[in-house]
Amino acid sequence: MSDEHGPTASRDYSWASRRISLIPGEQILVACKPAAKSWFWKDVWSLGIAELGRQNRVYVLTNRRVFVSRGIIRHHDKSIPIDKVQDATVRKGVYTSSIAISSAGGALGVEQIGPITHANARSFHTNLIGLLSRER
């Protein structure tokens, strides 16, 4: 797997497991936060307050679901079971990437993951596609 610091053999996602309650047998495959580069001007204009928002967004892929958590005071958590995911599309920008995840089930709709680093997007997408191919 890769992250913004390069390839790693084993990742410590303990920081992400504080935001998500894992069910028995569930493992975190990829966890990331928004890329700092994409928030630069927001940080400048907000005098650094936007950084709190960035640090409180978490994107997690487990072997059973996609989990997105946002919020500083009020948390908005969204969990999409892998068997409900229909498609995942990577949109690559100059400095960052994002992933659009389409899901079945009406209200679930499309979830945006990002902006995240290119390495995190590649890892998230590759692992998600691998899970989807096993499901089908």
Side-chain angles (χ1 to χ4, degrees):
M1 283 186 218
S2 296
D3 67 1
E4 57 197 17
H5 304 292
T8 56
S10 176
R11 296 288 302 148
D12 175 21
Y13 293 124
S14 58
W15 60 269
S17 62
R18 290 190 294 270
R19 290 292 290 268
I20 180 173
S21 296
L22 297 174
I23 55 179
E26 188 174 29
Q27 298 173 330
I28 295 176
L29 303 177
V30 180
C32 56
K33 294 182 179 190
K37 286 182 182 179
S38 66
W39 287 68
F40 176 76
W41 289 110
K42 290 178 187 175
D43 283 343
V44 170
W45 291 111
S46 71
L47 302 175
I49 294 171
E51 178 63 13
L52 291 174
R54 187 184 79 80
Q55 287 295 323
N56 284 287
R57 287 183 184 219
V58 177
Y59 309 113
V60 180
L61 174 65
T62 74
N63 57 334
R64 296 190 179 175
R65 61 189 163 146
V66 175
F67 179 81
V68 178
S69 179
R70 296 179 173 101
I72 299 170
I73 297 170
R74 278 184 58 200
H75 288 268
H76 174 76
D77 298 338
K78 188 171 189 179
S79 181
I80 306 169
I82 294 299
D83 61 348
K84 297 290 185 196
V85 174
Q86 293 180 328
D87 188 36
T89 306
V90 176
R91 294 187 178 115
K92 189 173 181 183
V94 177
Y95 298 110
T96 61
S97 296
S98 63
I99 304 170
I101 298 176
S102 305
S103 60
L108 297 178
V110 176
E111 183 65 39
Q112 294 292 327
I113 305 293
I116 55 179
T117 65
H118 297 307
N120 281 334
R122 193 170 33 256
S123 179
F124 204 103
H125 186 258
T126 301
N127 279 282
L128 179 57
I129 296 302
L131 289 171
L132 293 175
S133 66
R134 281 182 250 162
E135 284 286 320
R136 297 179 173 122

